[in-house]
Amino acid sequence: MKQLIVLGNGFDIACGLKSSYSDFFLMRFNELLGTQCKNFKEMAPRLENKRNYIIQSIERTKNSINFSPDENRDCDYFKVNSSKWSEKVDLNRWDIFFLFAESWVGKDVGLYEWQDVESIIYEVISIALGCKHESNISYKDEVDLIGSSQHGKEAFAKLVYNISYVGYNKHSEISAELFSELKKFETIFSRYIANQFSIDDCNSEYIKSAISLYESISQYSENKKITENDQIDVLSFNYSLDDGFIKTIDKTIDDNRLKSWSNIHGIAHHSVTPYYPSPIFGIDNHGIASQINQNDYRISFTKPYRVIDEGINEIRYSRGYADKDLISIYGHSLGRADYSYFETIFDENNLYSSDCKIEYYYYPGKDETAKVMKRQEAITKLYNLLTDYGRTLSAAHGANIINRLNLENRISVIPSDIFQKNNR
């Protein structure tokens, strides 16, 4: 059997890595505040004070600017004030965007996934560059602005304008500055992940858990006879384990089916001048790359552009993922920003007409109510992905792709705790 395993952040979390949105931002906000809060609830008053201080600083700067009626009334508020906003660490413009999004976006930060970060990046650059866009963000109806209130969307748009204002505030300048700052932010995240494990430490709980979970997803068995046709490729959207993990698996369980392990968005590391490109955060290119307007600076923030720009393809071994019998997706949120990758994989495998099967593993929750909700969410995510993919096919095939997969028993949505049950 030829199998492609697609891994998302749920794989790392299941193996004990603190790689969730809330884990990372709890650490980062603690750094910015100089605190050691254990959760966001404990941190909330300090975060609110910090946001108020930032707003007040911007207003004071606005009032202090001398201008004539024909002069610009704005300046680089971040550059003027950032040293005062955090004395503990080097502050980044994206720190500020996420700091305010934590409060003004209508979703509990503990429920955030990495696709929400991508949505915020898309929102910020669309606002900063004056691009019409369909927002994927749900804002709070009302946010406090020190004695007054405003709708979250309006307040956030104003904040983005102020924090992204640079130089003459041309779109080319704004794009270049936000792009440069995003790379700095990615470096911070890279070190956060890299500090948690060593890929050479086979005795660490994370590495042992990763090997065990790989065994389960790949249906590894010591007694199973392996043929030349048995091949496994791993496409990872994570920033943790890389192709060096193949050697670890070979040493531990001697699985010669595994032919490649490819990290599409870079690798976490400590080095200032690394061999591997740093992790990238990017946005979906749908609706951007297809526009006639060649001056849409958001293109440089899309994932395909970032992969090329960072030279990630130069360190990846992959000849594509065609002719697979099984595509196993584990721990991936199936967010829109990654639709393009799945579209390519489905095309390579002629999903409509082939015998290729899809299995999607999802976190099922702990109580009965959560299990119902999580299963509905998982099926909906896969349904939306396949429906979107169907739109790229002929009218006759596209509208019918899910029915065909169901009819031919080629689609499964499976709770990830099935592996725990099987190991008991």
Side-chain angles (χ1 to χ4, degrees):
M1 182 180 69
K2 293 182 179 179
Q3 180 183 17
L4 170 63
I5 299 175
V6 181
L7 300 180
N9 189 44
F11 178 88
D12 277 345
I13 292 175
C15 296
L17 204 67
K18 292 183 178 296
S19 56
S20 70
Y21 176 103
S22 55
D23 285 330
F24 170 68
F25 279 97
L26 182 63
M27 177 281 299
R28 184 57 178 165
F29 291 162
N30 266 322
E31 286 185 340
L32 300 183
L33 297 171
T35 58
Q36 294 182 338
C37 297
K38 297 179 180 179
N39 53 59
F40 284 99
K41 184 177 181 180
E42 180 184 343
M43 187 185 288
R46 295 177 175 86
L47 288 174
E48 190 64 22
N49 289 338
K50 179 63 70 175
R51 284 188 287 266
N52 288 339
Y53 179 60
I54 290 172
I55 293 173
Q56 290 171 337
S57 298
I58 292 173
E59 291 304 313
R60 281 195 296 267
T61 303
K62 282 181 180 287
N63 294 332
S64 67
I65 296 175
N66 295 318
F67 59 88
S68 61
D70 60 340
E71 287 179 329
N72 195 315
R73 303 187 180 192
D74 288 299
C75 70
D76 191 331
Y77 299 105
F78 178 83
K79 189 174 182 180
V80 171
N81 293 289
S82 59
S83 62
K84 297 181 293 185
W85 291 343
S86 180
E87 300 175 358
K88 305 295 182 181
V89 296
D90 290 333
L91 204 59
N92 187 283
R93 292 179 199 264
W94 288 97
D95 285 319
I96 305 301
F97 297 139
F98 289 120
L99 183 69
F100 279 85
E102 185 273 331
S103 175
W104 292 357
V105 171
K107 185 175 184 179
D108 186 280
V109 69
L111 301 177
Y112 265 54
E113 299 179 65
W114 282 109
Q115 63 174 325
D116 295 300
V117 169
E118 295 158 356
S119 295
I120 291 171
I121 292 172
Y122 175 74
E123 187 82 353
V124 167
I125 62 173
S126 295
I127 294 171
L129 298 174
C131 300
K132 291 183 179 180
H133 66 289
E134 183 177 342
S135 177
N136 295 320
I137 298 294
S138 173
Y139 291 97
K140 289 186 177 177
D141 293 332
E142 186 176 83
V143 297
D144 182 32
L145 292 176
I146 315 174
S148 64
S149 62
Q150 196 172 17
H151 191 280
K153 185 174 183 178
E154 297 174 4
F156 193 66
K158 183 179 179 181
L159 183 278
V160 168
Y161 174 83
N162 288 331
I163 299 301
S164 63
Y165 195 101
V166 293
Y168 293 98
N169 215 40
K170 296 179 180 179
H171 287 170
S172 57
E173 291 179 312
I174 298 171
S175 175
E177 177 65 14
L178 293 185
F179 190 76
S180 175
E181 291 282 275
L182 185 59
K183 285 189 173 185
K184 295 177 185 176
F185 193 80
E186 290 164 349
T187 298
I188 296 167
F189 176 74
S190 176
R191 291 171 182 166
Y192 168 76
I193 294 295
N195 283 337
Q196 295 189 50
F197 75 97
S198 169
I199 198 169
D200 299 319
D201 185 3
C202 296
N203 293 317
S204 76
E205 289 303 315
Y206 168 66
I207 297 296
K208 287 192 292 186
S209 296
I211 293 171
S212 176
L213 188 49
Y214 163 79
E215 287 183 73
S216 297
I217 300 171
S218 66
Q219 302 173 37
Y220 171 81
S221 172
E222 292 181 355
N223 302 320
K224 187 176 182 180
K225 185 177 180 181
I226 297 175
T227 69
E228 290 184 0
N229 191 54
D230 291 326
Q231 298 179 10
I232 296 175
D233 293 285
V234 174
L235 176 62
S236 177
F237 285 80
N238 298 332
Y239 312 102
S240 47
L241 304 172
D242 58 27
D243 55 357
F245 190 57
I246 296 177
K247 296 179 181 178
T248 303
I249 289 176
D250 283 344
K251 283 194 302 182
T252 308
I253 60 175
D254 190 26
D255 186 3
N256 57 18
R257 298 175 301 162
L258 184 54
K259 304 304 179 183
S260 72
W261 186 295
S262 182
N263 297 71
I264 188 63
H265 292 149
I267 298 293
H269 52 74
H270 301 93
S271 176
V272 177
T273 55
Y275 172 70
Y276 287 118
S278 291
I280 62 167
F281 299 145
I283 62 174
D284 183 27
N285 59 307
H286 281 86
I288 295 179
S290 61
Q291 292 184 0
I292 298 175
N293 180 8
Q294 297 299 309
N295 292 322
D296 191 335
Y297 292 100
R298 293 178 299 175
I299 290 174
S300 61
F301 292 85
T302 63
K303 288 187 175 180
Y305 182 102
R306 298 298 315 281
V307 169
I308 297 170
D309 182 56
E310 295 296 325
I312 291 175
N313 287 330
E314 297 172 17
I315 57 92
R316 293 175 56 238
Y317 172 78
S318 172
R319 297 179 180 176
Y321 302 105
D323 303 320
K324 299 301 179 187
D325 300 302
L326 176 64
I327 299 173
S328 303
I329 307 169
Y330 187 100
H332 197 291
S333 63
L334 303 184
R336 289 198 61 86
D338 292 325
Y339 273 18
S340 298
Y341 295 116
F342 287 103
E343 180 180 307
T344 302
I345 293 170
F346 294 159
D347 277 343
E348 286 183 330
N349 287 277
N350 190 16
L351 187 60
Y352 186 86
S353 300
S354 70
D355 294 325
C356 180
K357 295 182 178 181
I358 296 176
E359 56 183 21
Y360 178 45
Y361 294 95
Y362 69 96
Y363 173 67
K366 296 181 179 179
D367 56 58
E368 292 305 314
T369 301
K371 287 180 179 180
V372 173
M373 293 176 61
K374 291 293 185 182
R375 184 161 184 81
Q376 287 178 332
E377 290 174 6
I379 295 173
T380 300
K381 287 177 179 179
L382 186 58
Y383 183 94
N384 289 340
L385 170 63
L386 291 169
T387 301
D388 189 84
Y389 172 64
R391 296 190 183 102
T392 69
L393 306 176
S394 67
H397 289 174
N400 195 44
I401 188 168
I402 296 177
N403 287 334
R404 185 172 181 111
L405 291 171
N406 277 331
L407 186 64
E408 297 177 355
N409 196 21
R410 292 197 286 131
I411 185 169
S412 303
V413 179
I414 308 167
S416 58
D417 63 357
I418 188 174
F419 297 136
Q420 298 172 359
K421 294 173 182 177
N422 289 343
N423 290 334
R424 287 173 183 170

